[in-house]
């Protein structure tokens, strides 16, 4: 599936307002005077975002503000882990582009991350996140297969939207989506959809993907089709762990809920559903290797407080609840 991740020239992340490489209050930064300005027309210090990031100080303890003026910046940009405390400030939706996140404490707000490669290009990641204590608030992630690669560490998503077809939320981070919209798109002919592919391989690995109080539904295009099957997910790793709890599940989810990963051996995946609602939340025909519980003590192990210790690091300006909703 992922022997080689495909990043095409059209694998784009469009950043709308702010990206930070530290746990900062996004609302307070808009009044800060930028250190440098990026403008495609030459009116700033740089014409490209990549140049501005390259010249930023390494391992800075001070915030380095980069103002991005309006324009579609079709660049392949990676925020290197050495480039700490970088703040990118845009002027509106769909104005800046980035394709990798490494810097610890990364926070993004009011941003659309879009991969325009299309379903025919198969694996084409919109964003790869391997920053510890990363937070995303009111962000949109658009793609088809492998849209959002939550590669590792701790990641929190609040009031976000994620669009895709196959394994479009994937990876092996400690990841929690809270109050998010998960929309499934139309795949290629003869394909079925799988929302989540979690990669946990070891009993000692604390990782997993949790959807809490989310809405899972089909896009308008998929709603019009009656020949596409959609599952919650499939086990990418031998001990894959995924939890869907307190969420609204529309009718698109197949009664089995989950499906095996082709040509992969799974040992004992942990798939749990807790107090979901909606026509797709009926569990009587679920696969035998998935679990359903009404026990709040079990479900509480996968809250912001207990699963990722989010009370210690999620920025105060990002709304969130620590326990069951």
């Amino acid at each position: 599936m992922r022997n080689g991740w495909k990043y095409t020239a059209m694998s784009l992340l469009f950043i709308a307002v702010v990206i930070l490489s530290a746990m900062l209050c996004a609302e307070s930064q808009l009044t800060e005077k930028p250190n440098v300005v990026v403008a495609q027309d030459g009116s700033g210090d740089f014409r490209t975002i990549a140049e501005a990031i390259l010249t930023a100080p390494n391992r800075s303890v001070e915030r380095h503000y980069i103002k991005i003026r309006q324009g579609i910046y079709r660049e392949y940009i990676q925020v290197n882990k050495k480039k700490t405390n970088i703040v990118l400030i845009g002027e509106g939706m769909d104005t800046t582009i980035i394709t990798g996140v490494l810097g610890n404490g990364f926070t993004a707000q009011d941003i659309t991350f879009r991969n325009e490669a299309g379903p025919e290009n198969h694996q084409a990641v919109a964003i790869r996140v391997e920053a510890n204590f990363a937070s995303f608030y009111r962000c949109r992630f658009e793609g088809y297969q492998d849209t959002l690669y939550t590669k590792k560490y701790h990641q929190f998503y609040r009031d976000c939207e994620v669009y895709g077809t196959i394994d479009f939320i994937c990876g092996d981070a400690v990841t929690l989506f809270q109050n998010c919209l998960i929309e499934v798109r139309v795949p290629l002919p003869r394909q079925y959809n799988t929302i989540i592919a979690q990669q946990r391989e070891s009993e000692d690995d604390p990782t997993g993907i949790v959807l809490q109080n989310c809405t899972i539904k089909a896009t308008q295009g998929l709603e019009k089709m009656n020949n596409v099957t959609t599952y919650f997910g499939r086990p990418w790793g031998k001990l894959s762990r995924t939890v869907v709890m307190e969420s609204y599940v529309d009718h698109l989810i197949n009664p089995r809920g989950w499906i095996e990963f082709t040509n992969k051996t799974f040992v004992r995946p942990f798939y749990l559903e807790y107090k979901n609602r909606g026509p797709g939340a009926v569990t009587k025909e679920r696969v035998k290797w998935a679990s359903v519980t009404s026990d709040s003590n079990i479900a509480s192990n996968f809250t912001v407080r207990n699963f990722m210790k989010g009370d210690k690091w999620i920025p105060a300006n990002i709304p969130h609840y620590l326990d069951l909703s």
Side-chain angles (χ1 to χ4, degrees):
M1 174 187 174
R2 295 178 182 82
N3 292 330
W5 287 93
K6 183 179 294 185
Y7 296 98
T8 69
M10 298 298 289
S11 295
L12 307 178
L13 303 179
F14 292 83
I15 299 178
V17 180
V18 181
I19 280 192
L20 314 131
S21 225
M23 290 190 296
L24 310 175
C25 177
E27 295 177 356
S28 67
Q29 300 152 36
L30 300 178
T31 60
E32 296 287 344
K33 182 179 179 180
N35 295 91
V36 296
V37 175
V38 177
Q40 290 177 325
D41 62 6
S43 61
D45 301 291
F46 301 97
R47 288 180 181 269
T48 68
I49 304 165
E51 289 178 298
I53 292 176
L54 185 63
T55 59
N58 291 336
R59 299 183 177 88
S60 175
V61 295
E62 301 292 333
R63 301 171 190 174
H64 186 78
Y65 292 86
I66 302 173
K67 176 73 173 181
I68 313 296
R69 290 190 176 152
Q70 287 190 354
I72 301 301
Y73 294 80
R74 296 186 181 275
E75 305 177 44
Y76 182 92
I77 299 169
Q78 181 166 300
V79 180
N80 191 283
K81 62 184 178 181
K82 296 185 295 184
K83 301 297 182 179
T84 55
N85 286 316
I86 286 180
V87 182
L88 302 187
I89 304 173
E91 290 188 335
M93 292 292 291
D94 302 342
T95 59
T96 59
I97 305 158
I98 186 173
T99 56
V101 178
L102 292 172
N104 287 351
F106 181 91
T107 302
Q109 177 177 332
D110 297 318
I111 298 164
T112 295
F113 299 84
R114 180 183 298 136
N115 185 307
E116 295 182 333
E120 66 277 0
N121 286 290
H122 303 286
Q123 294 117 354
V125 177
I127 182 171
R128 182 188 76 250
V129 184
E130 47 185 311
N132 203 10
F133 308 129
S135 300
F136 295 83
Y137 175 42
R138 296 199 310 243
C139 291
R140 182 184 299 133
F141 306 88
E142 298 178 2
Y144 289 88
Q145 184 169 350
D146 304 344
T147 302
L148 175 53
Y149 182 18
T150 62
K151 187 173 182 180
K152 57 183 177 180
Y153 301 127
H154 294 74
Q155 304 178 23
F156 178 68
Y157 298 77
R158 169 73 186 217
D159 297 344
C160 293
E161 300 176 7
V162 191
Y163 298 80
T165 54
I166 298 172
D167 306 338
F168 63 95
I169 300 174
C170 56
D172 196 27
V174 178
T175 307
L176 194 147
F177 293 82
Q178 194 175 83
N179 292 29
C180 293
L181 172 64
I182 313 298
E183 286 210 44
V184 186
R185 309 175 88 169
V186 178
L188 292 174
R190 296 182 296 279
Q191 285 185 333
Y192 57 80
N193 290 319
T194 49
I195 297 172
I196 299 169
Q198 206 281 329
Q199 199 185 5
R200 182 170 175 258
E201 296 283 354
S202 169
E203 288 280 6
D204 298 327
D205 194 338
T207 59
I209 295 174
V210 178
L211 306 185
Q212 183 185 18
N213 199 32
C214 293
T215 296
I216 301 169
K217 62 188 292 289
T219 59
Q220 288 185 352
L222 185 61
E223 281 278 5
K224 298 175 182 178
M225 305 182 69
N226 58 10
N227 61 343
V228 178
T229 303
T230 299
Y231 300 95
F232 280 130
R234 55 183 182 170
W236 182 11
K238 293 180 180 179
L239 296 170
S240 177
R241 179 159 59 183
T242 300
V243 177
V244 181
M245 62 185 190
E246 302 180 315
S247 295
Y248 175 83
V249 184
D250 211 346
H251 59 80
L252 77 161
I253 296 298
N254 184 274
R256 295 184 73 236
W258 313 86
I259 191 170
E260 297 81 357
F261 206 117
T262 305
N263 299 325
K264 270 188 172 289
T265 301
F266 63 88
V267 177
R268 191 172 61 259
F270 183 89
Y271 284 159
L272 180 69
E273 295 176 61
Y274 169 77
K275 289 192 175 180
N276 296 311
R277 57 198 184 277
V282 179
T283 59
K284 62 182 180 181
E285 296 182 43
R286 292 293 193 254
V287 294
K288 296 186 183 302
W289 40 271
S291 299
V292 179
T293 186
S294 59
D295 189 338
S296 62
N297 292 320
I298 295 175
S300 64
N301 291 316
F302 301 99
T303 60
V304 168
R305 186 194 308 274
N306 297 326
F307 182 55
M308 57 173 41
K309 304 297 186 288
D311 54 324
K312 308 295 185 185
W313 60 270
I314 295 175
N317 65 295
I318 296 179
H320 58 278
Y321 40 90
L322 298 176
D323 303 300
L324 296 173
S325 63

